[in-house]
Amino acid sequence: MGTYQNILVAIDLNEEADKVVRKACQMGLQTGAKLTLIHVTEPLSYAYGGDIPMDLSSIQKQLHEHAEQRMSNFVQQHKLDDVDQLLVSGHIETEVHRVANELSSDLIVVGSHGRHGLALLLGSTSNGILHGATCDVLAVRI
Amino acid sequence: MGTYQNILVAIDLNEEADKVVRKACQMGLQTGAKLTLIHVTEPLSYAYGGDIPMDLSSIQKQLHEHAEQRMSNFVQQHKLDDVDQLLVSGHIETEVHRVANELSSDLIVVGSHGRHGLALLLGSTSNGILHGATCDVLAVRI
């Protein structure tokens, strides 16, 4: 039995995701674990507050389609066709924890910038995912 | 080439360390990495402030000897004689980062309680080690 059976890989879909996915794939090969990629798009209201006097739904839809396209390109580029992919919308930490629980993930892999000071207090994503996770978390240095 | 070559395992020397070390040993076996155990004893002045009107040095010495004994028992119990062991004194996060840099560790393994709220702001050890680390960090859920 390997160390991990179900690895959930939370990615940004930018060039930083390469390193995270490469590390996760190596871990998957070594442990024989099943990999699932997840990308979370945060609703615009989270970033700009909920009281903007405009209809964000069409922009939201465009952003989601853009993310779908990027996920598709990313998967093709990294030859990850046999890896499950999830594109969800919501609060990043909440969604990653929810999906990790649903999939009974035993490891979450996420990129980390290792921020200090204010950024630490404001909470980076890796930090947010570490806290509240019910499984192990591997923070890959970017 | 494995994912990791040099794994630094930061442990508490209590029963929680068992899970962290077990996971680190599995990772070591799978990746062929060299393992180093580190336990950091914090100077009492860090915990009680620097202005206590008493000489702490003899208590400090006793604590260090106690930690040495516990590390020795731990290593024997887990049959880790071929694993390097370090017992250092100082601020936990600082010492773990310093030693990780010195040893060119590419992974730090540490236990994590996944605390929320206030404990998160106050900074748990896994959180402190994650931030400021120049290599990957695996937080093992305890």
Side-chain angles (χ1 to χ4, degrees):
Chain A
M1 193 183 81
T3 321
Y4 297 110
Q5 269 90 58
N6 265 305
I7 302 179
L8 184 63
V9 191
I11 56 168
D12 265 355
L13 291 176
N14 56 22
E15 59 285 355
E16 293 175 356
D18 291 2
K19 199 173 171 193
V20 177
V21 166
R22 220 165 31 235
K23 203 60 80 78
C25 286
Q26 286 177 331
M27 291 275 292
L29 275 178
Q30 279 163 359
T31 61
K34 173 181 164 58
L35 291 189
T36 304
L37 284 188
I38 183 170
H39 174 72
V40 183
T41 55
E42 294 210 298
L44 283 175
S45 57
Y46 287 13
Y48 295 102
D51 54 355
I52 306 172
M54 59 185 280
D55 181 15
L56 293 173
S57 58
S58 80
I59 304 177
Q60 198 72 60
K61 190 164 168 282
Q62 284 174 47
L63 284 177
H64 190 83
E65 284 167 4
H66 183 63
E68 270 180 345
Q69 190 56 54
R70 282 196 298 166
M71 177 70 106
S72 164
N73 291 350
F74 188 86
V75 163
Q76 246 181 336
Q77 189 191 333
H78 290 79
K79 301 180 174 46
L80 297 170
D81 305 288
D82 52 342
V83 170
D84 282 352
Q85 302 134 38
L86 290 170
L87 193 61
V88 297
S89 181
H91 183 251
I92 296 177
E93 288 85 338
T94 309
E95 291 306 307
V96 168
H97 291 156
R98 183 183 63 75
V99 170
N101 285 335
E102 274 181 23
L103 299 180
S104 304
S105 306
D106 42 20
L107 179 69
I108 298 168
V109 182
V110 65
S112 169
H113 291 273
R115 293 188 182 94
H116 294 266
L118 190 60
L120 172 54
L121 282 176
L122 290 173
S124 65
T125 303
S126 57
N127 188 59
I129 288 176
L130 174 58
H131 291 275
T134 55
C135 64
D136 294 0
V137 176
L138 174 65
V140 175
R141 172 70 23 170
I142 289 168
Chain B
M1 194 183 82
T3 319
Y4 298 109
Q5 269 91 56
N6 265 305
I7 301 179
L8 184 63
V9 192
I11 55 168
D12 264 356
L13 290 176
N14 56 23
E15 60 283 356
E16 292 176 355
D18 291 1
K19 200 173 170 193
V20 177
V21 166
R22 218 164 34 234
K23 204 59 81 75
C25 286
Q26 286 177 331
M27 291 276 291
L29 275 178
Q30 279 163 359
T31 62
K34 173 181 163 59
L35 291 189
T36 304
L37 284 187
I38 183 169
H39 174 71
V40 184
T41 55
E42 293 210 300
L44 283 175
S45 56
Y46 287 13
Y48 296 103
D51 53 353
I52 306 171
M54 59 186 281
D55 180 16
L56 292 172
S57 59
S58 79
I59 304 177
Q60 199 72 59
K61 190 164 167 282
Q62 285 174 47
L63 284 177
H64 190 82
E65 284 167 3
H66 184 62
E68 271 181 343
Q69 190 57 53
R70 283 196 298 166
M71 176 71 107
S72 164
N73 291 349
F74 188 86
V75 163
Q76 246 181 337
Q77 190 191 332
H78 290 79
K79 300 180 175 46
L80 297 170
D81 305 287
D82 53 342
V83 169
D84 281 352
Q85 303 134 38
L86 289 170
L87 193 61
V88 296
S89 180
H91 183 250
I92 296 178
E93 287 86 338
T94 309
E95 291 307 307
V96 169
H97 291 156
R98 184 183 61 77
V99 170
N101 285 335
E102 274 182 23
L103 299 179
S104 303
S105 307
D106 41 19
L107 179 69
I108 298 168
V109 182
V110 64
S112 169
H113 291 273
R115 293 187 182 94
H116 293 266
L118 190 60
L120 172 53
L121 281 176
L122 290 173
S124 65
T125 304
S126 58
N127 188 58
I129 288 176
L130 174 57
H131 290 274
T134 55
C135 63
D136 294 0
V137 177
L138 174 65
V140 174
R141 171 71 22 170
I142 288 167

